[in-house]
Amino acid sequence: MKFGYFDDVNREYVITQPDTPLPWINYLGCEAYFGIISNTAGGYSFYRDARLRRLTRYRYNNVPLDCGGRYVYLRDDESKQFWSPSWQPTRTEVENYSCRHGLGYSIIGSTSNGIEAHTRYFVPMGENLEIWQVKVTNRRATKATISAFANIEFCLWDAQDDGTNFQRNFNTGEVEVEDGVIYHKTEYRERRNHFAYFACSRPTAGFDTQRESFLGRNRGWDSPAAVEAGQLTNSVAHGWSPIGAHQVKLELEPGETQQIVFVLGYHENSVDQKFDPPGSQTINKSTVKPIIAKYLDAKEADAAFERLHQYWDGLLNICQVNTPDIHTNRMVSIWNAYQCMATFNMSRSASFYESGIGRGLGFRDSNQDLLGFVHMVPSRARERILDLASTQLPTGGAYHQYQPLTKRGNNDIGGGFNDDPHWLIVGVSAYLKETGDWSILDEPVPYDNQPGSEQPLYEHLQRSFSYTLSRLGPHGLPLIGRADWNDCLNLNCFSDTPGQSFQTTTNKEGKVAESVFIAGLFVFAGREFADIAKHRGLESEAASCLAEVAKMEEAINQHGWDGEWFLRAYDDFGAKIGSKECDEGKIFIESNGFCALAGIGLEDGKAAKAMAAVHAHLATKHGIVLQQPAYSKYYLNLGEISSYPPGYKENAGIFCHVNPWVMIGEARLGHGDQAHDYYNRINPSAREEISDQHRCEPYVYAQMIAGKDAPSFGEAKNSWLTGTAAWNYYAIVQWILGIRTSLDGLQIAPVIPTNWPGFSARRVFRGVLYRIAIERQGSGNHIALTVDGVPIEGNIVPPPTDGRELVMVKGILS
Ligand code: GLC
Ligand code: GLC
């Protein structure tokens, strides 16, 4: 069952039923001001940091699930009936409901009793504000007298404190209302020099800023007393819960449309010019007023929307593909790329599942995210890399997370996740391959943000690489530390205390437990690093690095192979994990996928065997589960992985983040059919038809789909902010379609399904537009390339040196 459809031409997903199984959300903003918005206008906004500068309030895990947002109410002043065109919060039945989630905007509306209303929400480029353009049309044969209300609830800035510290917060709320604009200024009197505002383009018939005056006692957003009465009360909040509500009266002739623009924004004043007049407690509004005036003008708002549209078109047009598979096309050309930008902007902070007060930016996550967005925003990728590297510890290890506002490593979580440092190599390598900007390696970058500790970025990579060499275990495999990619495989934790953090509790010395996954990652990252060294002319460094990689491969062959597949790890007792000898957790996806991806065992058949074992034991119709059999009980020596009920999350859930490793492994083996089959098992568009089972948005990936051991097998959770976005993008574009960045140029090496006659693509790479056409003439993966009609050797097309800005690449597969 579907709840909408893809409008690929407009790059929108159109939801046609408001009661989706879960809130289906979108993001507003892509620079500093952000919001999440659900298909029924729920959600909230923040400036830069979802915890520390939360502008509007949202109650996670509320009932109904998604209540609180950017709400518009309409009231027929004759019949006195009121409703929400976005369905929530009144949930009055409406006709022709639609929510168009587009790139950086959402348009939500419906018709009720002959009154049609749609609101377009977006954040203009370069501004710290959001615009709501509400268009109301009278479809009746007679004149209509309508009151339109718009409403938000302010958050008192620090979202964590806002949800917990009521003894203080019920006293601090303050607002000003001037010329019809509502200013929220809690704590502005003391150490804050920022405030929020909510403005309306039309003369208003009233406002409210005190929640209780608007709602009335014991009422919710579904039936505000002031809306019901048809008159806001002009309340001025002191303490309690400041809100912003405006009322506009509309007289609409039959067929007439009128527009109201609302602007919700964030503004900072310089500390010495906070008040006007100086010495008063009144906000100095001189710098904000022109901004407000500008965007309340509908023409300016339209122009800003056009610029936003162009921005996104520009980003997406960097890579467009046209294959025989519609799901591949729309994910690669539109939604997966868009999701990759969301993970760049948000990391793991704010979604419907990430409350914005939890995690900082993950070192591992953010480096992997680069794989998906570096081609769209290379200069911002560069900045991200330098920020990440600046938090690296002198040991080469890493803080597991850093805070986006301060850009400092997060002491609460600390470090010791022994895979972390290698992801920096992977991220930097992706950047170099995309941009050819070798200067980044010479950038001075501190360790742990300590002034004076700066070393070239290249040195950070050296320390990342050698980090593992000084942390090898009894089998010559890398010690796992607190965990590796799988945050929940906590082999040194041994926690028996409720509520203790699995990720930061360490009860063992950590000298025994080893990770075959990190071994595979070391081989992969080590080869990338050796390549970088070679390109810098550091031949002997490259050679010694490859010697270490070879030793690690040997250790994997000796101690990391179980006969039919790669082992996962050794625990603190030196016992195998992910082996046929185990009762549960006999085979895992991560070590098998990653070793194959890294090319380990390609020659001697181990990779092929491992992929066959994954297919036999882990693959399901909804995707590949993380391990089998699922852990049926809690194991002290394994940690959080066994804390989840079977089939969920890391305990045998379909962790969509790691499925692409198997796709790439299959592609490396030349198995295009199998690789693409796995790709579409978890492709959200390909799952649209089962939206009632999948439940999450059909336009973006979710972190997890419940595995076959779960009662809700096939149900997705935790959409949007997940490494799944980047890895699937990377797998399909770079390994299946085979449009692969390399240090020397754009490599073209497709491993596509045998029944595809070919495909075409456009890819802007280092400033040059590559128009790529692939034609299948035989069933294999051998490719013969011509560039502008001239046959070339091999499969790497170097960027032209003669200033050409367009190259035509033709590939014949046989
Ligand atoms: C989450 C984390 C990621 C981790 C994965 C597996 O997605 O963000 O860092 O690798 O879970 O535990
Ligand atoms: C939990 C989750 C895991 C995530 C981690 C982040 O362990 O299961 O997916 O990576 O939290 O802290």
Side-chain angles (χ1 to χ4, degrees):
M1 182 189 168
K2 301 202 293 181
F3 295 82
Y5 61 92
F6 284 93
D7 178 346
D8 292 332
V9 173
N10 288 305
R11 294 176 165 163
E12 292 173 337
Y13 190 81
V14 188
I15 300 160
T16 51
Q17 231 176 286
D19 54 340
T20 46
L22 290 162
W24 284 4
I25 73 162
N26 192 16
Y27 285 90
L28 307 176
C30 46
E31 294 166 313
Y33 183 104
F34 297 102
I36 65 173
I37 182 163
S38 75
N39 59 305
T40 53
Y44 61 94
S45 300
F46 60 95
Y47 173 73
R48 286 197 193 276
D49 188 310
R51 171 171 170 186
L52 297 174
R53 291 281 192 285
R54 185 82 62 102
L55 267 64
T56 57
R57 191 174 279 160
Y58 188 73
R59 293 171 186 78
Y60 276 89
N61 208 6
N62 204 353
V63 280
L65 206 45
D66 171 40
C67 196
R70 302 171 182 83
Y71 289 143
V72 172
Y73 302 85
L74 296 182
R75 179 177 186 273
D76 186 327
D77 285 335
E78 276 144 41
S79 73
K80 302 189 170 47
Q81 286 178 338
F82 65 94
W83 71 97
S84 329
S86 61
W87 190 62
Q88 285 281 24
T90 64
R91 297 190 301 284
T92 318
E93 206 170 312
V94 288
E95 299 148 39
N96 299 326
Y97 159 90
S98 70
C99 165
R100 291 185 166 264
H101 279 324
L103 308 178
Y105 67 90
S106 294
I107 304 170
I108 310 175
S110 63
T111 303
S112 179
N113 285 317
I115 304 298
E116 181 184 327
H118 290 272
T119 306
R120 181 166 80 183
Y121 301 91
F122 70 100
V123 175
M125 300 296 299
E127 301 289 0
N128 296 323
L129 56 89
E130 65 187 65
I131 296 176
W132 313 2
Q133 290 178 277
V134 186
K135 283 189 183 164
V136 186
T137 304
N138 180 7
R139 299 272 176 224
R140 297 176 185 166
T142 54
K143 190 171 161 178
T145 308
I146 303 291
S147 276
F149 303 85
N151 158 257
I152 45 108
E153 182 179 15
F154 291 112
C155 178
L156 309 189
W157 306 117
D158 180 334
Q160 167 107 335
D161 187 75
D162 185 70
T164 47
N165 193 7
F166 305 108
Q167 58 81 25
R168 170 179 162 87
N169 295 342
F170 284 163
N171 300 287
T172 54
E174 286 191 295
V175 299
E176 281 177 33
V177 184
E178 189 182 310
D179 300 335
V181 181
I182 294 166
Y183 297 89
H184 172 232
K185 61 168 194 176
T186 300
E187 293 186 350
Y188 190 75
R189 61 168 53 246
E190 29 138 339
R191 291 155 298 174
R192 293 186 187 275
N193 61 335
H194 45 262
F195 57 91
Y197 56 88
F198 190 42
C200 173
S201 64
R202 305 266 292 240
T204 58
F207 64 86
D208 266 312
T209 66
Q210 184 67 282
R211 191 177 72 200
E212 193 175 302
S213 308
F214 178 71
L215 293 180
R217 239 178 267 167
N218 300 315
R219 286 178 179 234
W221 302 112
D222 55 346
S223 60
V227 173
E228 190 179 277
Q231 185 57 54
L232 297 190
T233 70
N234 294 353
S235 60
V236 175
H238 299 281
W240 294 110
S241 299
I243 62 158
H246 291 293
Q247 178 178 5
V248 176
K249 293 235 183 217
L250 303 173
E251 300 278 335
L252 293 162
E253 297 298 332
E256 187 185 356
T257 301
Q258 290 188 26
Q259 180 172 177
I260 317 168
V261 182
F262 296 96
V263 174
L264 170 64
Y266 169 90
H267 196 72
E268 287 176 2
N269 275 337
S270 60
V271 180
D272 52 350
Q273 301 196 337
K274 279 172 65 167
F275 300 107
D276 181 27
S280 76
Q281 289 291 299
T282 311
I283 301 173
N284 173 1
K285 306 183 183 79
S286 58
T287 54
V288 76
K289 276 186 173 169
I291 302 173
I292 297 176
K294 179 174 178 187
Y295 290 103
L296 286 179
D297 177 346
K299 276 203 215 72
E300 290 286 354
D302 288 344
F305 183 75
E306 203 36 54
R307 284 194 297 275
L308 180 72
H309 221 63
Q310 283 164 9
Y311 169 78
W312 279 108
D313 280 351
L315 291 189
L316 295 192
N317 288 341
I318 293 169
C319 179
Q320 292 286 303
V321 304
N322 187 7
T323 77
D325 178 47
I326 178 84
H327 307 299
T328 303
N329 298 345
R330 66 164 67 107
M331 288 315 287
V332 172
S333 300
I334 308 172
W335 290 100
N336 194 179
Y338 181 57
Q339 187 179 0
C340 286
M341 285 302 295
T343 62
F344 164 62
N345 286 323
M346 298 285 126
S347 188
R348 304 296 175 266
S349 76
S351 73
F352 183 67
Y353 307 83
E354 301 279 8
S355 62
I357 57 178
R359 307 200 245 171
L361 260 75
F363 192 89
R364 169 204 296 144
D365 291 338
S366 296
N367 274 303
Q368 289 176 65
D369 289 348
L370 278 160
L371 295 172
F373 68 74
V374 61
H375 64 294
M376 291 185 277
V377 284
S379 60
R380 295 175 78 188
R382 190 181 207 273
E383 183 189 345
R384 176 65 52 87
I385 288 172
L386 298 176
D387 286 346
L388 283 163
S390 303
T391 68
Q392 190 178 25
L393 297 161
T395 57
Y399 283 106
H400 198 46
Q401 296 175 1
Y402 78 92
Q403 296 310 119
L405 210 61
T406 61
K407 297 189 173 181
R408 295 289 186 276
N410 184 340
N411 266 320
D412 299 342
I413 312 282
F417 295 76
N418 282 348
D419 64 317
D420 270 337
H422 295 294
W423 297 114
L424 182 65
I425 300 178
V426 174
V428 170
S429 167
Y431 175 81
L432 290 173
K433 290 175 183 174
E434 179 65 39
T435 61
D437 167 23
W438 290 88
S439 74
I440 193 173
L441 295 177
D442 301 318
E443 281 290 335
V445 181
Y447 288 95
D448 197 4
N449 289 104
Q450 290 311 309
S453 67
E454 291 81 1
Q455 292 292 333
L457 177 64
Y458 185 76
E459 212 229 39
H460 285 253
L461 303 188
Q462 291 174 313
R463 291 198 201 182
S464 288
F465 181 72
S466 33
Y467 178 85
T468 293
L469 295 177
S470 48
R471 286 168 184 77
L472 295 176
H475 300 92
L477 296 165
L479 292 170
I480 195 166
R482 282 179 165 171
D484 59 22
W485 171 87
N486 190 331
D487 273 334
C488 300
L489 194 60
N490 316 116
L491 304 182
N492 296 304
C493 176
F494 285 75
S495 170
D496 55 11
T497 306
Q500 237 175 15
S501 161
F502 287 105
Q503 266 106 49
T504 56
T505 305
T506 307
N507 285 314
K508 294 287 168 173
E509 262 191 282
K511 297 263 165 60
V512 181
E514 298 166 291
S515 162
V516 178
F517 167 78
I518 300 182
L521 176 60
F522 177 88
V523 169
F524 179 76
R527 292 217 178 99
E528 304 264 297
F529 181 53
D531 246 8
I532 293 169
K534 217 181 289 167
H535 275 75
R536 291 204 114 197
L538 302 169
E539 294 287 346
S540 71
E541 181 165 5
S544 61
C545 169
L546 288 176
E548 296 297 347
V549 166
K551 263 198 252 166
M552 188 64 79
E553 262 193 287
E554 192 42 37
I556 295 172
N557 284 328
Q558 289 285 314
H559 305 290
W561 181 249
D562 198 48
E564 298 294 323
W565 56 77
F566 293 100
L567 285 175
R568 179 61 177 85
Y570 287 93
D571 72 9
D572 183 61
F573 308 108
K576 291 175 184 169
I577 297 175
S579 159
K580 57 180 179 293
E581 294 166 19
C582 304
D583 293 335
E584 300 186 318
K586 289 174 191 284
I587 172 170
F588 279 68
I589 192 172
E590 303 102 298
S591 47
N592 287 294
F594 215 88
C595 285
L597 174 162
I600 299 163
L602 278 184
E603 268 91 54
D604 64 9
K606 286 199 183 74
K609 269 194 181 169
M611 293 301 90
V614 165
H615 186 257
H617 302 290
L618 302 180
T620 78
K621 63 179 178 176
H622 293 297
I624 309 166
V625 300
L626 196 140
Q627 92 277 26
Q628 279 293 298
Y631 293 116
S632 60
K633 56 175 194 271
Y634 178 59
Y635 291 85
L636 192 65
N637 58 324
L638 300 179
E640 187 171 6
I641 189 170
S642 60
S643 75
Y644 288 111
Y648 294 109
K649 294 278 280 184
E650 281 88 343
N651 189 12
I654 295 160
F655 223 88
C656 298
H657 181 148
V658 282
N659 276 231
W661 299 350
V662 177
M663 297 169 205
I664 298 171
E666 293 285 4
R668 294 207 64 164
L669 289 165
H671 303 160
D673 285 320
Q674 186 63 76
H676 194 265
D677 171 21
Y678 285 148
Y679 172 73
N680 263 354
R681 291 188 201 196
I682 61 168
N683 179 323
S685 163
R687 299 173 61 77
E688 186 196 15
E689 292 290 343
I690 53 162
S691 287
D692 44 340
Q693 183 178 11
H694 183 77
R695 297 194 3 117
C696 278
E697 297 93 330
Y699 42 91
V700 289
Y701 285 95
Q703 178 199 54
M704 188 215 53
I705 297 172
K708 59 186 174 183
D709 303 286
S712 59
F713 181 35
E715 178 192 34
K717 278 184 198 149
N718 197 6
S719 56
W720 279 99
L721 304 183
T722 154
T724 308
W727 275 107
N728 277 279
Y729 190 83
Y730 178 71
I732 183 73
V733 175
Q734 302 223 10
W735 289 93
I736 299 178
L737 301 179
I739 305 172
R740 186 146 75 239
T741 58
S742 82
L743 294 176
D744 302 314
L746 197 61
Q747 190 170 14
I748 312 288
V751 184
I752 54 176
T754 39
N755 66 2
W756 282 16
F759 70 92
S760 62
R762 54 166 280 149
R763 174 69 158 89
V764 180
F765 176 68
R766 302 193 195 170
V768 176
L769 171 59
Y770 287 66
R771 283 194 178 281
I772 303 163
I774 305 296
E775 188 187 320
R776 190 182 262 307
Q777 290 186 354
S779 59
N781 302 308
H782 176 266
I783 190 144
L785 291 179
T786 60
V787 178
D788 292 327
V790 182
I792 64 161
E793 289 271 313
N795 62 8
I796 295 181
V797 188
T801 47
D802 58 4
R804 262 177 308 159
E805 285 175 357
L806 169 69
V807 292
M808 308 292 277
V809 180
K810 176 130 186 76
I812 304 291
L813 276 181
S814 59

